[in-house]
Amino acid sequence: MAKNAKKAKGASSPEVAEETKAVNETEAVEPVEEPAKGKKKAEGGKKDAKSEKKPNFFVRTGRKAMGWLHDMRVELKKVHWPTRTELLKNCLVVLVCILAVGICIWVFDALAAAIIRALVNLFQG
């Protein structure tokens, strides 16, 4: 049984090697040389040179502005616009927070002023 396995293995080895060699030869592709960015294509002639010329300032600016406006419109469609009740609730929360922070600052300011007054009176005698 081991001999049969070795024979099968040995018989398939040259076949596998030939297939691998054939695959490697077909996969070996010569690298494609890309033309430099600054060079013009020799095949195209004058027509390609005109088609590769970038548009004037106003056309480019107009395209950029239209693209920006389109993107802004798409993003504004994604926005969740609050209802009137949500807006009023959120405004109320903001006003309460502003009031609370204002009271805290007022208390700390009054406390700091009292401490400074006490220190000045202590050192003046």
Side-chain angles (χ1 to χ4, degrees):
M1 207 165 186
K3 288 182 181 181
N4 289 341
K6 285 183 181 178
K7 282 184 181 179
K9 211 178 205 184
S12 65
S13 270
E15 292 171 3
V16 171
E18 288 177 20
E19 289 176 14
T20 306
K21 186 176 180 182
V23 169
N24 288 339
E25 287 175 359
T26 58
E27 288 179 355
V29 178
E30 294 181 20
V32 178
E33 293 182 22
E34 296 180 13
K37 289 183 179 178
K39 296 181 181 179
K40 293 182 182 177
K41 293 181 181 178
E43 300 172 5
K46 292 181 182 179
K47 194 171 189 179
D48 284 339
K50 283 187 177 181
S51 65
E52 289 182 14
K53 186 179 177 182
K54 68 180 183 180
N56 67 28
F57 171 77
F58 298 108
V59 172
R60 286 182 286 144
T61 305
R63 286 181 185 164
K64 287 180 184 178
M66 291 303 291
W68 181 78
L69 288 172
H70 173 73
D71 292 343
M72 184 179 64
R73 184 175 179 210
V74 168
E75 289 299 321
L76 284 174
K77 285 182 179 180
K78 297 177 186 178
V79 173
H80 167 72
W81 297 102
T83 63
R84 185 175 181 88
T85 56
E86 289 175 337
L87 183 65
L88 291 174
K89 285 179 184 177
N90 291 340
C91 286
L92 184 63
V93 168
V94 169
L95 290 174
V96 167
C97 289
I98 289 172
L99 186 63
V101 170
I103 289 171
C104 289
I105 291 174
W106 177 64
V107 167
F108 289 130
D109 184 51
L111 185 64
I115 291 172
I116 291 173
R117 243 184 271 118
L119 287 174
V120 169
N121 288 338
L122 180 69
F123 289 111
Q124 281 184 353

